[in-house]
């Protein structure tokens, strides 16, 4: 895990925080938040909140009382204890792209398959920069819709030994995820004591938590498994066209969802989520890697710390159709504020392309390079007397060079960042080796990673129980 101990970049003044605080309070109390699930409405009604049809009008002080019950930090166990993670504080947890129906491999864009899902999960296993493959790292369209969640969770549990995200399409899928997690970790008591999966619950913005998300949230929270409660905000479409108004809406939606989680199970871990960008008002398409989205990430980190909550934000987001300069600079425009703001849980850290429609192998490698560079850049510089290398100056003197100095030969491997992908060769050497651009080099890297992949061991009895569960459930679901 990467621990970001650098100072946080905060851009909101105390007065600005106060204005935003008034904004979300007015939204939840005067407009209300829709919860399209009777069980959720009943929980709010019993807690003394005003309910009209599916809209809950919330007392802001009640919301804050519930939010205060959520832990500031918590652990998630992996089947390899070395890969367990801590959510909150200075820790940053990175996961792959999530939810893409398409795959890009080289110049080919096509429907994603289960084989792609496994291969992307294997890549996530091989790179230490990723703490999790994620969840729906791509949507395998060659498997039956009703049972594909079983295959995806099984892959995440077997080809990786890192933490994984649960399926949230329905209560059935969530329950199956929990049962498979119980099998992997030795029972319900073991995963309730220390959570073993984390799941994404998206708000159907503006101001609506829909029935499928809520039923999955109820399943996971009842089992004490953390959820990432995320308003889905594209300014100009799902929120007002200005950043301040969108931040107030994000606070209203996110805090209302967290309040529900604490009504389901007080003390259940949650993550304050943010997926905030803007809409291209000429085309109506989402824009990513914009200055507005970067400002949103920075503000969200400050807001989450104001409430004492771990938070999710950022990622390697971009709107490019291919792995080009646009894909790289837009991704960096989002990843850099992600580090500056110290996001605790970062989805879409590797492989995101085309506004989230595409999981791309080559982009996966480009993003791993960005993560490696940023982690290096955000590691505090240690300065002491030895680091000043006075003896090297004595050896070289005036007008010399340090290429062959003892200090250089002893330390250059540990002192300099060593690129995974970038080329530093001169033009002639680069040309003799085929003149490959970074996308071509990325293709070579991911293929070699898969050639060298070694599947982590899994207890035979556990594997057998998982196999039997998947076969039984597939038959029960008619697939």
């Amino acid at each position: 895990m990467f621990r970001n101990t650098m100072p946080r970049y905060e851009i909101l003044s105390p007065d600005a925080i106060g204005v935003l605080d008034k904004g979300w309070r007015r939204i939840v109390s005067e407009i209300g938040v829709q919860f399209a699930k009777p069980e959720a409405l009943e929980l709010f009604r019993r807690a003394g909140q005003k309910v009209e049809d599916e809209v809950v009008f919330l007392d802001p002080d009640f919301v804050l009382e519930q939010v205060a019950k959520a832990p500031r930090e918590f652990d998630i166990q992996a089947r390899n204890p070395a890969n367990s993670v801590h959510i909150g504080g200075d820790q940053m947890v990175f996961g792959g792209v999530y939810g893409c129906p398409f795959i890009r491999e080289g110049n080919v864009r096509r429907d994603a398959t289960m084989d792609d899902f496994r291969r992307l999960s294997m890549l996530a296993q091989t790179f230490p920069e990723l703490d999790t493959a994620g969840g729906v790292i791509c949507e395998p369209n060659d498997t039956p819709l009703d049972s594909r969640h079983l295959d995806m969770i099984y892959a995440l549990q077997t080809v990786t030994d890192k933490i994984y995200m649960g399926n949230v399409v329905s209560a059935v899928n969530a329950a199956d995820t929990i049962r498979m997690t119980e099998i992997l970790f030795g029972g319900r008591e073991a995963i309730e004591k220390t959570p073993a999966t984390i799941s994404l619950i998206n708000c159907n913005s503006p101001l609506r938590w829909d029935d499928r998300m809520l039923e999955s949230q109820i399943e996971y929270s009842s089992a004490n498994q953390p959820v990432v409660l995320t308003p889905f905000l594209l300014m100009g479409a799902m929120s007002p066209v200005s950043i301040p108004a969108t931040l107030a809406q994000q606070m209203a939606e996110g805090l209302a969802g967290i309040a529900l989680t604490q009504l389901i199970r007080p003390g259940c871990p949650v993550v304050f989520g943010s997926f905030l960008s803007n809409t291209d008002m000429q085309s109506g398409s989402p824009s990513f890697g914009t200055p507005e989205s970067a400002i949103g990430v920075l503000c969200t980190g400050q807001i989450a710390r104001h409430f004492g909550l771990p938070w999710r934000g950022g990622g390697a987001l971009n709107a490019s159709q291919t792995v080009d300069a646009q894909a790289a600079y837009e991704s960096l425009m989002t990843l850099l504020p992600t580090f500056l703001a110290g996001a605790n849980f970062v989805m879409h850290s590797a492989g995101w392309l085309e506004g989230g429609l595409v999981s791309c192998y080559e982009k996966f490698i480009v993003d791993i390079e960005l993560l490696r560079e940023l982690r290096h850049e955000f590691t505090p510089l240690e300065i002491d007397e030895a680091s000043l290398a006075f003896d090297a100056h004595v050896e070289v003197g005036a007008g010399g060079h340090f290429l062959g100095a003892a200090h250089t030969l002893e330390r250059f491997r540990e002192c300099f960042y060593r690129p995974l992908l970038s080329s530093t060769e001169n033009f002639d050497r680069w040309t003799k080796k085929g003149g490959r651009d970074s996308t071509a080099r990325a293709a070579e890297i991911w293929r070699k990673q898969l050639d060298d992949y070694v599947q982590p061991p899994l207890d035979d009895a556990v594997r057998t129980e998982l196999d039997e569960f998947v076969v039984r459930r597939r038959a029960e679901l008619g697939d």
Side-chain angles (χ1 to χ4, degrees):
M1 282 188 65
F2 178 71
R3 187 177 175 211
N4 184 353
T5 59
M6 300 288 266
R8 300 294 179 257
Y9 191 80
E10 298 195 338
I11 62 176
L12 295 173
S13 68
D15 287 345
I17 292 286
V19 173
L20 290 172
D21 191 63
K22 292 177 181 177
W24 77 263
R25 286 171 174 267
R26 288 197 68 189
I27 291 172
V28 300
S29 60
E30 298 179 27
I31 300 173
V33 180
Q34 184 180 13
F35 289 86
K37 190 71 179 172
E39 292 88 337
L41 296 172
E42 184 58 26
L43 285 170
F44 281 117
R45 188 179 288 110
R46 290 179 183 175
Q49 302 307 291
K50 180 182 176 182
V51 179
E52 292 183 1
D53 296 324
E54 291 185 338
V55 177
V56 182
F57 297 87
L58 292 155
D59 174 1
D61 291 333
F62 164 80
V63 172
L64 293 179
E65 289 174 5
Q66 300 307 311
V67 169
K69 297 176 184 177
R72 299 177 72 95
E73 304 180 28
F74 59 91
D75 295 319
I76 304 176
Q77 58 176 318
R79 71 178 179 92
N80 178 356
N83 290 327
S84 295
V85 303
H86 185 78
I87 305 290
D90 292 331
Q91 306 292 336
M92 297 184 73
V93 172
F94 298 93
V97 64
Y98 185 106
C100 304
F102 301 108
I103 286 288
R104 188 174 185 90
E105 181 178 352
N107 293 320
V108 177
R109 182 187 188 272
R110 55 176 172 77
D111 286 348
T113 67
M114 193 62 221
D115 185 56
D116 291 314
F117 188 97
R118 281 190 289 266
R119 290 199 293 174
L120 287 166
S121 299
M122 290 158 63
L123 283 176
Q125 173 69 17
T126 66
F127 285 106
E129 289 76 20
L130 292 182
D131 304 286
T132 170
V136 186
I137 196 166
C138 67
E139 185 70 45
N141 292 295
D142 61 339
T143 55
L145 180 61
D146 289 343
S147 63
R148 69 176 55 156
H149 66 284
L150 300 169
D151 299 316
M152 290 190 285
I153 297 300
Y154 184 87
L156 292 170
Q157 291 182 323
T158 54
V159 304
T160 83
D161 59 10
K162 299 181 178 182
I163 68 164
Y164 55 89
M165 299 185 72
N167 198 278
V168 295
V169 170
S170 67
V172 170
N173 292 18
D176 283 342
T177 300
I178 292 169
R179 180 63 194 124
M180 294 175 73
T181 303
E182 291 171 356
I183 293 171
L184 190 66
F185 289 91
R188 180 67 166 244
E189 183 179 351
I191 69 169
E192 289 199 5
K193 181 179 179 182
T194 304
T197 187
I198 184 170
S199 303
L200 174 65
I201 305 295
N202 277 335
C203 183
N204 190 355
S205 304
L207 301 175
R208 184 177 192 269
W209 293 94
D210 68 35
D211 53 345
R212 290 197 305 170
M213 289 286 99
L214 288 174
E215 64 184 26
S216 294
Q217 178 182 348
I218 291 170
E219 289 287 338
Y220 285 116
S221 296
S222 297
N224 203 42
Q225 303 306 292
V227 291
V228 185
L229 293 153
T230 304
F232 192 97
L233 301 171
L234 296 174
M235 289 180 281
M238 287 118 93
S239 71
V241 79
S242 69
I243 297 175
T246 298
L247 291 172
Q249 180 182 326
Q250 177 178 261
M251 294 163 76
E253 293 174 346
L255 296 177
I258 292 171
L260 174 61
T261 298
Q262 301 310 305
L263 292 177
I264 296 167
R265 181 163 179 158
C268 181
V270 296
V271 175
F272 181 82
S274 175
F275 188 87
L276 190 162
S277 194
N278 53 294
T279 305
D280 183 331
M281 301 308 292
Q282 292 182 317
S283 67
S285 298
S287 297
F288 297 102
T290 64
E292 290 80 11
S293 63
I295 293 169
V297 170
L298 295 171
C299 292
T300 300
Q302 193 170 347
I303 290 167
R305 287 187 290 275
H306 172 71
F307 291 110
L309 293 166
W311 67 287
R312 168 245 169 151
L317 311 184
N318 67 93
S320 181
Q321 287 75 35
T322 187
V323 188
D324 58 3
Q326 178 187 345
Y329 69 68
E330 287 183 347
S331 291
L332 181 59
M333 275 290 291
T334 312
L335 277 175
L336 183 56
T338 301
F339 276 77
L340 286 169
N344 300 121
F345 192 77
V346 187
M347 299 177 62
H348 310 304
S349 298
W352 167 294
L353 202 62
E354 202 178 318
L357 289 174
V358 171
S359 298
C360 176
Y361 288 98
E362 289 77 24
K363 179 62 164 44
F364 194 101
I365 301 303
V366 171
D367 293 336
I368 292 295
E369 181 79 298
L370 287 174
L371 287 175
R372 293 175 80 242
E373 291 184 356
L374 286 166
R375 287 163 67 119
H376 191 83
E377 182 178 337
F378 278 79
T379 298
L381 182 65
E382 295 185 7
I383 298 180
D384 56 20
E385 189 68 27
S387 69
L388 300 182
F390 184 79
D391 289 344
H393 285 288
V394 172
E395 178 185 348
V396 172
H401 65 76
F402 292 86
L403 290 173
H407 182 273
T408 302
L409 297 176
E410 291 169 359
R411 294 172 174 80
F412 73 92
R413 287 187 176 88
E414 64 188 55
C415 288
F416 291 160
Y417 173 78
R418 302 174 71 181
L420 169 72
L421 176 61
S422 304
S423 172
T424 58
E425 295 175 325
N426 64 39
F427 180 79
D428 289 337
R429 292 183 64 186
W430 176 75
T431 302
K432 288 178 181 179
K433 290 186 175 182
R436 297 170 304 145
D437 62 14
S438 60
T439 305
R441 293 195 299 273
E444 181 179 284
I445 291 170
W446 74 257
R447 293 181 189 281
K448 184 178 187 307
Q449 288 294 122
L450 291 183
D451 287 342
D452 295 341
Y453 164 81
V454 177
Q455 183 160 323
L458 179 63
D459 181 80
D460 289 341
V462 173
R463 184 184 294 274
T464 298
E465 190 173 357
L466 284 171
D467 290 341
E468 292 173 348
F469 176 82
V470 170
V471 170
R472 183 174 69 255
R473 285 294 292 137
R474 188 179 286 117
E476 292 170 352
L477 294 168
D479 293 332

